[in-house]
Amino acid sequence: MEIESEEKKREESNLIDHVISWILLLYAGIVTSFISPIVLIVLFYSASPLMLISTECRKIVMRILARASNLQFITCVRIAGLKVMMSGENLDRLSDCRALMLPNHLSLFDHFIFMTAADSFGINAVGRWIFVIYNMWIYTPLGWLWSSYGNYFIDSVPIHKREETLSHLRKHFDRIYHDVDLRWVCLYPEGSRLFLIQKRNSEYEKKKGLPQLTHCAYPRLGAALSAIKVLGPHPKDPSKANNGRGPPLKYLVDVTLGYPDGKILPFKDIFLSALLNGGGKPYAIHYEIFDMDPKWSDEEELRKFLFDRYQQKDKLLDSYYKTGSFSSDSKEAPLPSDVVIIGFQLLQIALFAIITKFLYSRIF
């Protein structure tokens, strides 16, 4: 009887844990994809007159909104109790520098890992970046928010439209990067999540006679090359960007994301598994920093460099999946205090309620 009683208590406890976990998942999903973006979009347009006063005001508003958006992603990591381990040499250099950041792409959860780690670089880095993002998000509240502070949406295009698409991207870099004093240009050069492109990448490897990659895919060069052609160091004057409008990108940063045991779970499974297992094993991010080379404005030179890097990245990931760590010097990415996170959540919900009430009164 006692054994049956203990089993019943465990079943009841597991049921309660599952219910609480689903409530937290739904809360995080609704706030991150709908409530938070709506609130920040309204604040952005409300601040439009202020942004017209001066370029400096515009910079401040955009940084505040980007910082708030990033904090929502970090909040989801905190709710789930996840840990992100960081490693790499001389990471202090990334706190206030102009860099091209190239992470591998495994899952929709990559962005949460990247944001959590990036927050540790401080106010000089956080919110001062531009992302090139696949346009599946463009018609969502989150996409509208990202567009408002300068992120660029791109889609797979036929080969005959490639140059036209990249020309638009180069114009975007030229227009926004120096105007609002940005720092990082962030993009996923593989083009999509690994499981979606692995077969195509394997065919490409065979066609080109390249070493086979298991844990990542050979990068596409278009977006990275466009960033370097506009913002990379000028061959004749490395202190200036190729567009002549300001300082150049100083570093190219090869960013490697690793998932525990190499298991790329769906987003909801990542979140629920972490909640039900006390956070589970940590996720990891590793940075390798290279001085930007003017010769990378040439497509073939960039191809040689990045293809070699991704061959090294594949070996690094293979080691990570076997050992569970990129480096013995890994450190946990610090999170904002719970007071900040809870206060931010309460503020967003209160503002959303005010906005909803205002709109309701105007419509009805």
Side-chain angles (χ1 to χ4, degrees):
M1 291 293 292
E2 290 182 3
I3 295 175
E4 291 180 0
S5 178
E6 287 296 323
E7 289 181 352
K8 186 175 182 180
K9 287 180 180 179
R10 280 197 295 270
E11 289 176 0
E12 290 176 351
S13 177
N14 287 337
L15 178 60
I16 292 171
D17 287 345
H18 275 82
V19 170
I20 293 174
S21 298
W22 271 104
I23 290 172
L24 290 173
L25 172 62
L26 290 172
Y27 171 82
I30 292 170
V31 174
T32 303
S33 62
F34 185 74
I35 293 178
S36 182
I38 293 295
V39 168
L40 295 177
I41 289 169
V42 170
L43 291 177
F44 176 82
Y45 285 106
S46 298
S48 294
L50 183 64
M51 295 169 65
L52 294 174
I53 294 175
S54 69
T55 301
E56 196 59 36
C57 288
R58 182 185 176 202
K59 292 178 186 177
I60 292 171
V61 170
M62 291 180 70
R63 286 175 197 168
I64 290 173
L65 290 175
R67 178 71 181 89
S69 178
N70 299 338
L71 183 55
Q72 180 57 38
F73 284 95
I74 296 167
T75 297
C76 292
V77 171
R78 177 66 186 92
I79 290 173
L82 289 165
K83 292 182 180 179
V84 175
M85 304 302 293
M86 300 169 55
S87 58
E89 296 182 1
N90 300 317
L91 298 186
D92 290 342
R93 287 189 290 171
L94 300 181
S95 63
D96 187 15
C97 75
R98 301 175 189 274
L100 176 60
M101 313 286 285
L102 302 178
N104 56 312
H105 203 4
L106 299 170
S107 157
L108 294 178
F109 199 71
D110 293 350
H111 206 65
F112 292 78
I113 300 171
F114 188 93
M115 289 298 150
T116 300
D119 191 69
S120 66
F121 292 110
I123 194 65
N124 287 328
V126 175
R128 301 177 75 183
W129 49 52
I130 180 174
F131 267 89
V132 179
I133 307 170
Y134 186 56
N135 74 353
M136 66 181 286
W137 300 104
I138 194 169
Y139 298 115
T140 68
L142 198 55
W144 304 334
L145 174 64
W146 284 341
S147 294
S148 69
Y149 51 75
N151 288 338
Y152 189 87
F153 290 88
I154 198 166
D155 196 1
S156 299
V157 295
I159 189 66
H160 67 277
K161 289 190 175 181
R162 179 177 183 269
E163 185 50 41
E164 179 185 354
T165 300
L166 295 179
S167 175
H168 287 308
L169 178 58
R170 290 192 293 270
K171 289 177 183 177
H172 185 75
F173 287 144
D174 183 58
R175 179 178 61 84
I176 194 171
Y177 185 81
H178 290 106
D179 280 358
V180 292
D181 196 24
L182 298 176
R183 288 297 183 266
W184 298 353
V185 176
C186 311
L187 56 95
Y188 296 104
E190 291 161 302
S192 186
R193 287 161 284 167
L194 180 62
F195 76 93
L196 292 173
I197 59 173
Q198 209 153 23
K199 181 180 179 182
R200 186 173 65 211
N201 184 66
S202 179
E203 293 171 351
Y204 179 78
E205 290 167 346
K206 292 177 183 177
K207 181 179 179 181
K208 298 294 184 180
L210 294 166
Q212 183 178 356
L213 303 183
T214 304
H215 308 296
C216 57
Y218 283 103
R220 298 182 177 186
L221 302 179
L225 183 64
S226 294
I228 294 171
K229 281 189 172 183
V230 176
L231 304 173
H234 195 283
K236 294 182 179 179
D237 185 358
S239 66
K240 294 182 179 178
N242 281 320
N243 66 353
R245 300 189 62 192
L249 296 171
K250 188 174 182 180
Y251 303 118
L252 184 151
V253 185
D254 186 11
V255 184
T256 305
L257 303 172
Y259 283 53
D261 302 320
K263 295 179 180 177
I264 316 301
L265 301 173
F267 177 81
K268 69 176 180 62
D269 292 340
I270 289 175
F271 202 85
L272 289 173
S273 177
L275 283 167
L276 294 169
N277 295 290
K281 295 181 180 180
Y283 291 73
I285 184 167
H286 183 76
Y287 302 89
E288 293 185 69
I289 306 170
F290 302 88
D291 292 333
M292 186 65 69
D293 192 329
K295 72 181 182 182
W296 291 338
S297 293
D298 178 79
E299 184 169 0
E300 191 53 39
E301 291 291 341
L302 183 63
R303 186 191 313 278
K304 289 177 184 177
F305 174 77
L306 287 184
F307 278 27
D308 177 71
R309 285 309 314 155
Y310 270 71
Q311 290 166 20
Q312 299 303 316
K313 185 192 291 286
D314 197 64
K315 294 176 182 177
L316 182 65
L317 281 164
D318 188 67
S319 174
Y320 168 77
Y321 293 139
K322 290 175 180 176
T323 65
S325 175
F326 282 124
S327 169
S328 59
D329 296 328
S330 296
K331 61 181 181 180
E332 185 178 344
L335 298 176
S337 71
D338 287 347
V339 172
V340 171
I341 288 175
I342 293 171
F344 177 63
Q345 294 302 300
L346 293 175
L347 177 62
Q348 287 189 120
I349 292 171
L351 289 174
F352 184 75
I354 292 170
I355 293 167
T356 302
K357 184 177 181 180
F358 175 80
L359 292 176
Y360 183 85
S361 66
R362 288 293 181 271
I363 296 173
F364 299 102

